[in-house]
Amino acid sequence: MARLVFIAGHAGTGKTTLARRAIPLLHARTGESFCVLDKDTVYGAYSAKVMGLLTGDPGDRDSPTFLDNLRDEEYRGLLEVAAENLGLGVNVVLVGPFSREVRSKRVFDPLALGVPADTRIRVVWVTLDEATAKARIVARGDPRDRYKLAHWDDYRQRRFEPDPAEFAQLLRFDNTVFDEAAFARVVDAIF
């Protein structure tokens, strides 16, 4: 039975950095390898080309054009690659916002995700207050954030903080100030 770990949360929360920190800990705790599939790495160049053709902005990842035409296809493809690996017994760490999938609770249902039914799923939700997230987004200067920053009021309407009572399955990590011990506890909770 393979493991599927989501490292999810809104932009600027540090998901990719945390995934990179988690891999050695996951390996040490299990003795198993984990395939990392970061949405931005897997689809970055492809989506840049498509969005450049559609909107003239290869960095666009937040406009209605992207959200209505490409966003779900990126996630579908990412989950298909994960399912193929999981079917071969390879553990997978998926990195991306996954906000729609968390909100709908689809991330907790192997059949809804299209992964093997016996997959052990854990979802780490990385939190960060909006002001700090925006400051980090500005500081990183990623072209994929231009549209988001130019339309921040629209973007912030899509941000949500899952209610702990409704989303009890989420493993939460506040990444405002990285806490090594708290992060180790979250990684331990994956098992």
Side-chain angles (χ1 to χ4, degrees):
M1 175 182 349
R3 306 169 196 271
L4 173 59
V5 179
F6 288 87
I7 305 219
H10 297 295
T13 58
K15 297 177 299 294
T16 298
T17 300
L18 291 175
R20 290 178 182 156
R21 286 181 182 239
I23 292 302
L25 298 174
L26 291 167
H27 180 70
R29 282 163 176 75
T30 65
E32 302 170 4
S33 295
F34 288 77
C35 169
V36 177
L37 298 173
D38 186 312
K39 186 184 87 63
D40 291 336
T41 302
V42 174
Y43 284 103
Y46 174 80
S47 294
K49 181 69 171 183
V50 171
M51 292 310 293
L53 293 170
L54 291 176
T55 68
D57 180 1
D60 177 357
R61 296 299 183 282
D62 287 285
S63 72
T65 300
F66 174 81
L67 295 173
D68 294 342
N69 297 294
L70 204 54
R71 187 260 184 219
D72 289 345
E73 299 309 314
E74 282 187 356
Y75 284 82
R76 187 176 354 271
L78 200 60
L79 286 165
E80 286 174 0
V81 174
E84 188 170 346
N85 279 280
L86 292 163
L88 296 170
V90 177
N91 299 310
V92 176
V93 174
L94 288 176
V95 182
F98 291 98
S99 53
R100 288 183 190 174
E101 292 75 13
V102 169
R103 190 183 304 241
S104 69
K105 299 183 180 173
R106 184 173 164 228
V107 291
F108 306 109
D109 182 353
L111 297 178
L113 294 173
V115 301
D118 63 346
T119 301
R120 291 185 289 185
I121 299 172
R122 295 292 184 267
V123 182
V124 177
W125 183 260
V126 185
T127 64
L128 192 64
D129 68 88
E130 180 183 334
T132 304
K134 186 175 183 181
R136 287 183 184 178
I137 291 168
V138 169
R140 72 184 179 189
D142 190 321
R144 292 174 295 197
D145 294 323
R146 276 194 308 256
Y147 187 95
K148 179 188 298 97
L149 289 169
H151 301 87
W152 189 261
D153 286 338
D154 291 334
Y155 169 71
R156 68 189 305 266
Q157 298 303 312
R158 294 196 320 269
R159 286 179 54 97
F160 82 107
E161 187 56 38
D163 179 353
E166 185 180 350
F167 295 90
Q169 312 96 312
L170 289 177
L171 303 172
R172 296 168 188 274
F173 183 74
D174 182 339
N175 199 26
T176 303
V177 176
F178 181 75
D179 179 331
E180 190 83 43
F183 187 63
R185 286 191 299 275
V186 167
V187 171
D188 286 341
I190 289 172
F191 310 103

